[in-house]
Amino acid sequence: NTGDITQDAATRYPDGGDNMKNIAAYASNKWEINKNLIFSQGIRFNYVSLEAKYTQAMMDLIKFPFDATMKQDNTAVNGSLGLVVMPGNGWRFATNLSTGFRAPNIDDLTKLNDSNSTDQLIIVPNPDLKPENAYNAELTLGKTFGSKFQVEVTGFYTILADAFVVQPFLYNGHDSIVFDGKLSAVQAMQNVDKATIYGIESNLAAQLTKSLSLQSSITYTFGQVKKGEVPLDHIPPIFGITSLKLELNKFTGEFFTRYNGWKHIKDYS
């Protein structure tokens, strides 16, 4: 407040300028083999570049064990195959196989975060972080009853290779460092061999009257890092939405409620 005592403070992200570029091109095709069978295909090329720079003042303050400029160029080719089967009597079956790709962003790669200082932890940058890749499969079963009632259930499963996970880390060969006057255990975003995400989603749609319709959906997801069988970050608890919609001439009104279950402490990494 008085300016009598001042000192440099570390920034959460590089202070010398950061930028990311994303370029992608894709092609897709849908082949209606007949009225009961649809086959779809897709392919996508991705290019992601990242450059982040620290000023010399920041390098001297934190004593980073890497160059002042972090730079990455990542490419990937992803694809998908889908099949929809409609055998009749209101039944619908769909399956999809796909791959995905995520390159590290500024937050993943460069974050310096001591917001967990109550636990005496610090997250430091990791220039060696590689992209993670996803391999996805899903299966949908649906049934329409007449023209007024429809129900659908989808199961999904994803394998993450080189998944991003915050774990203990060695910084200049040390598992703890003094930061802001506190001895803090070091962590960093790192690649793990494998993680899995799977779950189920159900949807219901009903035309109750000519003007009144009901829609509802609920989703459950589970994610786990295989090594150590610890929970994967950012997996939501079970959640859903239910709505009633009224349409009268030029008037449309909707009442809906969103809800979700607990996320217990044990379900966080």
Side-chain angles (χ1 to χ4, degrees):
N1 291 329
T2 65
D4 291 341
I5 302 174
T6 62
Q7 65 185 47
D8 291 333
T11 59
R12 174 169 289 200
Y13 301 109
D15 57 340
D18 315 309
N19 66 74
M20 284 189 72
K21 296 183 179 69
N22 294 271
I23 300 172
Y26 72 92
S28 61
N29 177 61
K30 185 171 72 171
W31 177 22
E32 296 186 11
I33 300 173
N34 56 48
K35 66 177 184 178
N36 305 115
L37 197 61
I38 301 172
F39 179 46
S40 60
Q41 319 92 50
I43 189 169
R44 178 185 175 101
F45 172 79
N46 309 275
Y47 168 75
V48 182
S49 71
L50 179 152
E51 186 173 5
K53 298 178 181 179
Y54 292 95
T55 62
Q56 190 59 49
M58 182 74 165
M59 294 292 292
D60 294 340
L61 180 65
I62 307 301
K63 298 180 175 59
F64 286 130
F66 44 77
D67 294 337
T69 299
M70 293 186 189
K71 192 169 184 179
Q72 285 196 357
D73 292 284
N74 294 297
T75 60
V77 177
N78 299 127
S80 66
L81 295 173
L83 187 67
V84 178
V85 181
M86 295 170 287
N89 295 321
W91 284 100
R92 178 180 179 273
F93 304 93
T95 185
N96 188 69
L97 301 173
S98 65
T99 62
F101 160 82
R102 186 164 88 88
N105 59 30
I106 297 292
D107 186 76
D108 299 321
L109 194 71
T110 72
K111 179 168 61 180
L112 180 70
N113 178 18
D114 67 333
S115 62
N116 295 318
S117 56
T118 54
D119 298 323
Q120 293 185 303
L121 300 174
I122 182 170
I123 297 174
V124 298
N126 179 12
D128 297 323
L129 189 66
K130 300 182 297 184
E132 62 181 358
N133 292 279
Y135 305 90
N136 314 294
E138 61 182 68
L139 177 66
T140 298
L141 307 177
K143 171 70 172 171
T144 300
F145 301 88
S147 59
K148 295 185 178 181
F149 188 80
Q150 183 181 38
V151 63
E152 191 175 82
V153 178
T154 298
F156 54 90
Y157 192 93
T158 294
I159 297 174
L160 287 176
D162 293 322
F164 295 167
V165 178
V166 175
Q167 290 188 330
F169 187 69
L170 291 179
Y171 186 85
N172 273 329
H174 301 287
D175 60 6
S176 298
I177 61 173
V178 175
F179 183 79
D180 200 20
K182 299 177 183 177
L183 182 65
S184 302
V186 178
Q187 296 187 338
M189 188 74 77
Q190 299 172 69
N191 298 106
V192 299
D193 289 338
K194 186 186 294 184
T196 56
I197 302 171
Y198 58 84
I200 189 168
E201 177 187 4
S202 62
N203 294 282
L204 169 70
Q207 192 67 42
L208 303 177
T209 69
K210 183 179 179 180
S211 303
L212 187 65
S213 61
L214 168 72
Q215 287 191 324
S216 186
S217 69
I218 191 164
T219 302
Y220 167 77
T221 311
F222 178 82
Q224 186 179 66
V225 179
K226 282 299 183 182
K227 185 178 181 181
E229 296 187 346
V230 297
L232 191 64
D233 285 336
H234 307 304
I235 298 298
I238 188 170
F239 65 92
I241 181 172
T242 299
S243 69
L244 280 170
K245 191 173 184 179
L246 180 66
E247 296 178 280
L248 293 170
N249 298 322
K250 295 183 178 181
F251 171 82
T252 298
E254 183 177 13
F255 169 82
F256 63 88
T257 178
R258 300 182 186 272
Y259 40 88
N260 61 268
W262 289 98
K263 181 161 182 174
H264 299 283
I265 293 296
K266 66 181 177 61
D267 296 323
Y268 288 84
S269 72

